[in-house]
Amino acid sequence: MLRSRILSTGMHVPEGLVTNHDLARIMDTSDEWIRQRTGIEQRYWVKGNEATSDLALRASEIAIERAGLQKHQIEMIILATLSPDHEFPGTACFLQKKLGIPGIPALDVRQQCTGFLYSLSIADQFIRNGVYRNILVVGAEVHSKGLEKNDRGRDVTVLFGDGAGAVVLGAVDIRDPKSEPHILSTHLHADGAFAEELWTPAPGTGNSSERVGASELENGLHWPKMNGKTVFMHAVKRMPEALIEGLKANGLTPSDIDLFVFHQANLRINDMIAKQFEIPEEKVFNTIQKFANTTAATIPIGLDEAVRTGKLKKGMLVASAAFGSGFTWASAIYRF
Ligand code: UT7
């Protein structure tokens, strides 16, 4: 049976460590507020002019090397980001140029916090159908260049960090789907009725006359806007739904899962889900304390950290779920 499996992981965060105390020096916030409401203690922001594709490049090189592959053996690049290098072309093309592997397809996925799971699902379909054998799947963000670092933007700005995570997804011919590592399932969802609950309005053709003109800039439409309470309410409903859907599709229960690697938007969201499913604390791998919300990169960063800290070992059954702007939400169940 032709299936895909995660061959390797890689991650990279920039050098600029920014603590909650650092933010409290430039806006009306506090370490106490950020920790209590979100669990975040620090994040990394680029110091110089690094772009999203630069962080993606480092994470990708590590993942490719750990897969035991040469770059030219990668047959497709899928990159999820909401903070592209430029308006167009897609950041996957800039990453491809930096990797030096021209000719193969390079696809951007714009599904924000759910972007990595959407990308994993797309890659899985290509591999299951026998089209490609090795696909590089990346989630990468440079948020810090697009955050309003003042009192008006504090509700959003304190939440986000820069970083990249990558996996190489490879084709495997499996005989025993119960024990052999592979992607068991992915389930994807969206509801555009909530598109404006978490979004950056400009630049874009949805604006009155110009994609980004003087009035958009004056009104701060190029900064992200979030209705935090609404997002939170939907996240704690939709992530469990996607998780149950994935488990049911495979005849599994939460207790069958060895490790949960969720999207990292708020520690309280993940704690609520863990409580709802009676998942023991040690089975939920959180990284938000160290890296904040790196959007499309949270899950691949989580996988890589979990591997490097010995929490995630070959053969373990893993469940991931994510929720975010769109609204979009998804789950993936995989034996690592
Ligand atoms: O991955 C993308 C998906 N994003 C999410 O999942 C985020 C989901 N939402 C959340 O995590 C939470 O809603 C937040 C952490 C963003 C906010 O927590 P909250 O408990 O919903 O706080 P709130 O928005 O109701 O704000 C409470 C108070 C307000 O002041 P008043 O009106 O009570 O006087 C805010 O103005 O906290 C104020 N506030 C802040 N204070 C200090 C908002 N941001 C800050 C801040 N520092 N950074």
Side-chain angles (χ1 to χ4, degrees), residues 29 33 37 113 154-155 228-229 231 263 265-266 268 293:
T29 190
W33 190 97
R37 304 274 173 151
C113 299
R154 66 177 182 173
D155 61 326
K229 282 215 185 305
V231 178
H263 172 53
N266 189 322
R268 286 190 294 148
N293 182 350

Side-chain angles (χ1 to χ4, degrees), residues 57-58 60-62 64-65 68-77 95-102 104 134 136:
L57 173 67
R58 198 62 212 106
S60 301
E61 285 174 336
I62 295 167
I64 295 168
E65 193 190 325
L69 296 175
Q70 301 292 318
K71 287 178 194 170
H72 70 261
Q73 290 175 286
I74 298 295
E75 293 166 277
M76 181 182 197
I77 299 168
L95 173 62
Q96 181 184 43
K97 179 172 100 174
K98 288 173 184 174
L99 281 167
I101 43 176
I104 61 169
N134 295 311
L136 175 66

Side-chain angles (χ1 to χ4, degrees), residues 16 28 30 34 54 69 78 80 87 100 103 116 123 125 162 180 198 216 223-224 229-230 264 273 277 300 309 334:
D28 183 15
S30 67
I34 301 169
D54 294 316
L69 296 175
I78 306 179
E87 270 296 287
F116 180 76
Q125 315 307 323
D162 301 341
E180 289 182 59
L198 174 50
E216 283 76 27
W223 302 118
K229 282 215 185 305
T230 305
Q264 305 287 303
I273 297 169
F277 289 106
T309 55
Y334 42 106

Side-chain angles (χ1 to χ4, degrees), residues 82 111-115 189-191 194-195 197-198 231 234-235 238-239 263 265 293 295 322-330:
L82 68 67
Q111 299 309 115
Q112 305 70 245
C113 299
T114 317
H189 297 278
D191 187 349
F194 298 94
E197 298 294 337
L198 174 50
V231 178
H234 284 260
R238 295 307 197 179
M239 276 171 70
H263 172 53
N293 182 350
T295 306
F323 176 86
S325 160
F327 287 152
T328 54
W329 62 101

Side-chain angles (χ1 to χ4, degrees), residues 216-290:
E216 283 76 27
L217 291 174
E218 210 172 292
N219 293 315
L221 298 188
H222 56 302
W223 302 118
K225 317 270 172 250
M226 178 175 72
N227 188 349
K229 282 215 185 305
T230 305
V231 178
F232 192 102
M233 242 168 52
H234 284 260
V236 294
K237 181 169 175 277
R238 295 307 197 179
M239 276 171 70
E241 269 177 22
L243 200 56
I244 292 169
E245 186 182 25
L247 292 170
K248 269 195 179 159
N250 295 290
L252 298 167
T253 65
S255 62
D256 294 316
I257 300 297
D258 298 310
L259 197 68
F260 293 85
V261 183
F262 294 135
H263 172 53
Q264 305 287 303
N266 189 322
L267 203 54
R268 286 190 294 148
I269 294 177
N270 294 359
D271 287 348
M272 282 172 78
I273 297 169
K275 203 165 161 203
Q276 182 183 337
F277 289 106
E278 297 177 354
I279 305 167
E281 206 179 299
E282 65 276 10
K283 278 193 173 186
V284 182
F285 192 74
N286 288 313
T287 57
I288 190 166
Q289 303 92 327
K290 258 167 93 175

